[in-house]
Amino acid sequence: MYAFLSTLAFVVCGASVRATSLMYTLRAGVRISSGGTVIIRSVRAKMTVPFCASLCGATCGAFQVSSMTDECVTFSERFHTKGIELTSDPEWTLGYSQSSVSDGDWTLAFRAQTGLNAYVYKTWVSDGTHHDSPEEAGDFPQVCLRLVDYGSCDRYFRSQILDNWEKIQEVRFSMVKSGAEVAYAVFNGTGTDRESWFHPSRIMSSSWQPGVTTDTLTRPEIKGYCGGTGTACRRFKLYGASLGCPKEWAYTVTIDAPYDACVDQGHWPTAGDPAQDFPVFLYSQSGRGGLGESAEYPLIQRADVMAVWVKFAWPPANK
Ligand SMILES: *[C@@H]1O[C@H](CO)[C@@H](O)[C@H](O)[C@H]1NC(C)=O
């Protein structure tokens, strides 16, 4: 469904605008009502969205324009920063800079790729790494934002959203293989932080339903378990009981180190070779996926890309 992002996309509700090489997404009928730090407030006849966007500049996170009063207000915060209150108001259009990739209402927050020999969780928690900041967005390789033809990508994408986990309504965890989404789960993001959303009790829809929400899973966490060399480092876990390597099963698990005891002992036949190429993203095609050689389920598969998308909560539209 989300497999054809070939370029930077900036369209929400059919509107987008580019100003001074920054890009903004527009949302009609919404304004920031409190909590924002105003940089500029300007009124002039026939105020336009592009003109207001041009006032927003490099350090600005959001702006809003009133069609009634010809007013432009720019703010230093991004609209989903903690403390910002939004309200629906048909007079105003809100513009905001955020992650550089969106697809409909979904915004890309994180993208990792197999075989890059870089730690996924370490990147996930590396506060301050923002590949979508105005300073960095221009230099970030486009190929590492793509969900097709990504073979030459050499790094992960981490949005500032991970450090501003506010107003998140839903989170889509997505596994991509050969340019197509092969498994996913959508989680209820309301009231979560950047790790707590990942729990089976929050799954609203998934290619792994119904089992993923009814099975008892072992520590279903992003952080998971990570031991030293010779043990295992497993993240983003929706994983069954500890039955011993040959019999284990999962819906998904990320091997996030160049070793994994079960793989290294030859018990997980489809898990690749983390020593050569980690991380390894494993997913079941439907139902439980067998990790071990004597698991009772169809064997788990390897994905190329793991992507996390978010959908923001907006005030309800005025009736
Ligand atoms: C999402 O979670 C919140 C908080 O737990 C809850 O109030 C809300 O009803 C949930 N939404 C859906 C659609 O399940």
Side-chain angles (χ1 to χ4, degrees):
M1 193 188 327
Y2 298 100
F4 300 103
L5 276 179
S6 55
T7 58
L8 286 172
F10 279 93
V11 183
V12 166
C13 306
S16 66
V17 59
R18 176 190 264 274
T20 61
S21 85
L22 289 171
M23 300 213 212
Y24 298 97
T25 304
L26 301 179
R27 189 96 189 182
V30 176
R31 69 180 166 86
I32 292 174
S33 52
S34 70
T37 309
V38 174
I39 307 174
I40 292 172
R41 188 184 298 274
S42 164
V43 179
R44 64 173 229 172
K46 300 201 176 63
M47 177 64 76
T48 62
V49 167
F51 185 78
C52 187
S54 74
L55 298 179
C56 197
T59 57
C60 162
F63 64 90
Q64 57 196 25
V65 185
S66 164
S67 54
M68 301 288 280
T69 60
D70 287 327
E71 191 177 357
C72 164
V73 188
T74 73
F75 299 92
S76 46
E77 294 85 358
R78 300 181 189 249
F79 82 91
H80 54 95
T81 305
K82 196 175 182 65
I84 297 280
E85 298 292 333
L86 299 174
T87 188
S88 59
D89 186 334
E91 266 183 41
W92 290 82
T93 295
L94 179 71
Y96 56 95
S97 67
Q98 50 147 3
S99 166
S100 42
V101 179
S102 56
D103 184 0
D105 279 347
W106 292 103
T107 299
L108 187 65
F110 188 75
R111 181 193 177 287
Q113 188 159 324
T114 191
L116 301 189
N117 298 303
Y119 294 94
V120 177
Y121 183 72
K122 194 174 162 193
T123 307
W124 182 269
V125 297
S126 68
D127 293 305
T129 299
H130 300 159
H131 298 125
D132 52 354
S133 66
E135 299 76 31
E136 289 197 46
D139 297 330
F140 191 80
Q142 302 279 305
V143 66
C144 297
L145 298 171
R146 291 212 296 246
L147 300 176
V148 291
D149 297 332
Y150 39 65
S152 61
C153 169
D154 63 355
R155 70 196 77 177
Y156 303 156
F157 169 77
R158 184 183 192 279
S159 164
Q160 49 76 31
I161 292 167
L162 294 186
D163 297 338
N164 284 286
W165 196 267
E166 297 286 332
K167 301 183 178 71
I168 306 281
Q169 186 172 328
E170 293 176 17
V171 189
R172 187 180 187 96
F173 175 81
S174 175
M175 289 271 159
V176 173
K177 181 174 191 155
S178 305
E181 183 180 71
V182 286
Y184 76 94
V186 175
F187 297 79
N188 180 346
T190 304
T192 62
D193 61 31
R194 77 176 174 210
E195 302 219 8
S196 65
W197 59 271
F198 189 87
H199 193 274
S201 64
R202 296 192 156 272
I203 291 178
M204 303 168 72
S205 61
S206 170
S207 55
W208 300 310
Q209 267 182 327
V212 72
T213 50
T214 54
D215 280 331
T216 299
L217 302 177
T218 306
R219 286 182 62 179
E221 296 170 351
I222 290 181
K223 187 175 183 185
Y225 168 79
C226 192
T229 308
T231 62
C233 186
R234 299 174 187 161
R235 314 289 200 181
F236 292 88
K237 284 172 62 218
L238 296 173
Y239 192 102
S242 302
L243 303 169
C245 303
K247 287 188 176 288
E248 287 181 357
W249 56 268
Y251 293 98
T252 187
V253 59
T254 293
I255 297 176
D256 195 19
Y259 51 84
D260 184 291
C262 290
V263 183
D264 298 343
Q265 291 162 20
H267 294 302
W268 290 4
T270 52
D273 182 3
Q276 292 299 314
D277 287 305
F278 87 95
V280 178
F281 302 119
L282 299 174
Y283 72 95
S284 76
Q285 286 173 306
S286 66
R288 296 176 177 180
L291 288 158
E293 66 220 337
S294 51
E296 300 160 37
Y297 311 102
L299 284 174
I300 206 148
Q301 304 291 307
R302 249 180 297 157
D304 303 331
V305 167
M306 181 244 277
V308 176
W309 302 80
V310 300
K311 198 182 268 188
F312 292 109
W314 292 99
N318 277 359
K319 300 273 154 38

